[in-house]
Amino acid sequence: MPGPGTDNLITVLGASGLLGTAVSRQLASRPGRLRLVGRRPVTVPEQPVADVEELTLDLTRPGAVAEAVAGSDAVVHLVAHTGGPGTWRVADGDTLAERVNLGLVHDVLDAVRAGRTAPQPALLFAGSVSQAARMPATGAGDTPPDQPPTAYDRHKLAAERAIEAATAEGIVRGSTLRLSTLYSQGTDSTDLDRGVVSSMMRRAFAGEPLTLWNGGRAKRDFLGVDDAAAAFTAALDGLDAVSGRHWDIGTGERTSVAELFTYIAETVARHTGKPQVAVEETDPAEYAMPTDEIDFVLTESGFRQATGWRAQVPLSEGLDGLAAAVAHQLPGAARQLPGTGNRV
């Protein structure tokens, strides 16, 4: 399987996103051939070890996915469409979101079936731990046990099942990594405006209060994007152990949204020498969803036993790295950001 010293071609779809940039950075440091595909120009590390090819493509265009994955020995599928003000909020009936989140997976599988890629390539898919979310029982009309309550997670689950079915058919060797809540660790300057953690970090540098909903009681498992990227390289290296099923990926650490915002305020205060900004409660925005009150925290998935991977960076260290990067980029005053709630 793709690994150091091989001539296999690994294609990263969604290479210009937060996770895609981190995965690309790690894979570029290894020998081999690497094709980075993004809707926007991708970031290629200076002096990469890999032989890197860059493609800027709209993957929703007919034939674009087949072009992108042609000849690939492994495809790392990180493309996602998110809608609205949040990072993952997708309205029911959003056909573009369904086309991107689910349809592109079928396009990859169709391209493989048509013989446009190497025989039985690896296919790693970025899922979400929120796919397993279930609303608390309220009586008649409850969400079915096999049906996540959000459109985004239903798209992700359907894509995951399509990959598992294709793996059972012998079309691909596929696996889904269900990721915890990602945040930038400040490794790459292009990551500093992506995600709620970065947004709140900038608000704190601007001296603005951090606003949360519902008391910030919901708990999340915050996973640094570099650790998440390492999980994908571990899965590629251990494909025989991970193929054919999904895996939960996270730190196992439970952090409430209120705790996160307090940590951000404290971290920024240490970097600026100024009093920490307030953490305040506000009414949920109109785009708030019931799942904002549900805990999404990793339970033991077996991925560590299967691959040897484990998260290396605790949240406190990751926040400190992000704060240092933001402070370096904005040595004066952070620019103003629009108001935002606890969209995690």
Side-chain angles (χ1 to χ4, degrees):
M1 207 38 254
T6 73
D7 192 42
N8 288 317
L9 172 61
I10 302 175
T11 295
V12 180
L13 304 180
S16 58
L18 172 63
L19 178 58
T21 299
V23 169
S24 300
R25 182 168 56 246
Q26 293 197 14
L27 290 177
S29 69
R30 297 151 51 109
R33 294 186 297 142
L34 182 61
R35 179 182 295 155
L36 305 180
V37 183
R39 187 168 56 87
R40 302 181 301 274
V42 301
T43 301
V44 180
E46 294 184 7
Q47 299 180 334
V49 175
D51 180 8
V52 180
E53 172 189 2
E54 304 169 54
L55 283 180
T56 302
L57 285 177
D58 175 4
L59 291 174
T60 63
R61 176 176 57 79
V65 169
E67 176 185 348
V69 303
S72 299
D73 299 283
V75 176
V76 182
H77 191 305
L78 310 176
V79 184
H81 175 85
T82 55
T87 56
W88 50 265
R89 295 164 200 276
V90 171
D92 288 323
D94 186 332
T95 55
L96 176 58
E98 185 172 9
R99 172 76 183 98
V100 174
N101 296 333
L102 175 57
L104 295 186
V105 169
H106 284 290
D107 286 355
V108 172
L109 297 176
D110 288 345
V112 176
R113 288 188 177 97
R116 294 176 180 146
T117 64
Q120 206 178 6
L123 175 56
L124 298 183
F125 179 62
S128 171
V129 294
S130 59
Q131 290 172 221
R134 299 293 179 268
M135 298 304 300
T138 57
D142 288 342
T143 302
D146 60 346
Q147 189 83 319
T150 71
Y152 176 82
D153 291 311
R154 290 194 291 273
H155 298 162
K156 286 286 189 179
L157 183 60
E160 175 183 294
R161 289 174 173 170
I163 292 169
E164 289 177 352
T167 300
E169 291 178 48
I171 304 300
V172 295
R173 289 177 289 169
S175 181
T176 295
L177 305 191
R178 292 183 173 183
L179 302 172
S180 301
T181 303
L182 299 182
Y183 70 94
S184 169
Q185 296 171 241
T187 307
D188 193 299
S189 61
T190 62
D191 294 346
L192 301 186
D193 287 313
R194 295 169 174 174
V196 66
V197 175
S198 294
S199 295
M200 287 298 176
M201 186 75 72
R202 286 191 180 275
R203 282 182 63 90
F205 271 102
E208 299 178 1
L210 309 185
T211 54
L212 49 77
W213 308 332
N214 306 312
R217 292 180 295 272
K219 294 180 175 59
R220 297 291 187 265
D221 183 343
F222 293 97
L223 177 65
V225 71
D226 295 329
D227 276 335
F232 280 90
T233 60
L236 284 171
D237 292 339
L239 187 67
D240 290 341
V242 305
S243 179
R245 57 170 292 187
H246 63 263
W247 305 85
D248 289 344
I249 308 296
T251 68
E253 180 180 348
R254 301 169 64 89
T255 304
S256 72
V257 175
E259 290 170 332
L260 170 70
F261 286 12
T262 299
Y263 297 157
I264 291 173
E266 293 171 347
T267 301
V268 171
R270 288 198 302 272
H271 281 261
T272 62
K274 300 177 181 179
Q276 67 186 61
V277 298
V279 177
E280 302 175 349
E281 184 166 5
T282 188
D283 292 334
E286 62 179 10
Y287 51 79
M289 303 179 70
T291 48
D292 291 322
E293 300 184 60
I294 298 177
D295 296 346
F296 298 138
V297 179
L298 175 79
T299 55
E300 180 56 48
S301 68
F303 190 76
R304 183 186 303 178
Q305 288 75 20
T307 66
W309 174 91
R310 64 181 299 169
Q312 299 295 316
V313 181
L315 180 59
S316 59
E317 183 179 331
L319 292 178
D320 192 66
L322 177 58
V326 173
H328 178 76
Q329 188 184 70
L330 302 172
R335 57 187 172 85
Q336 300 293 101
L337 290 175
T340 179
N342 50 295
R343 303 192 309 269
V344 292

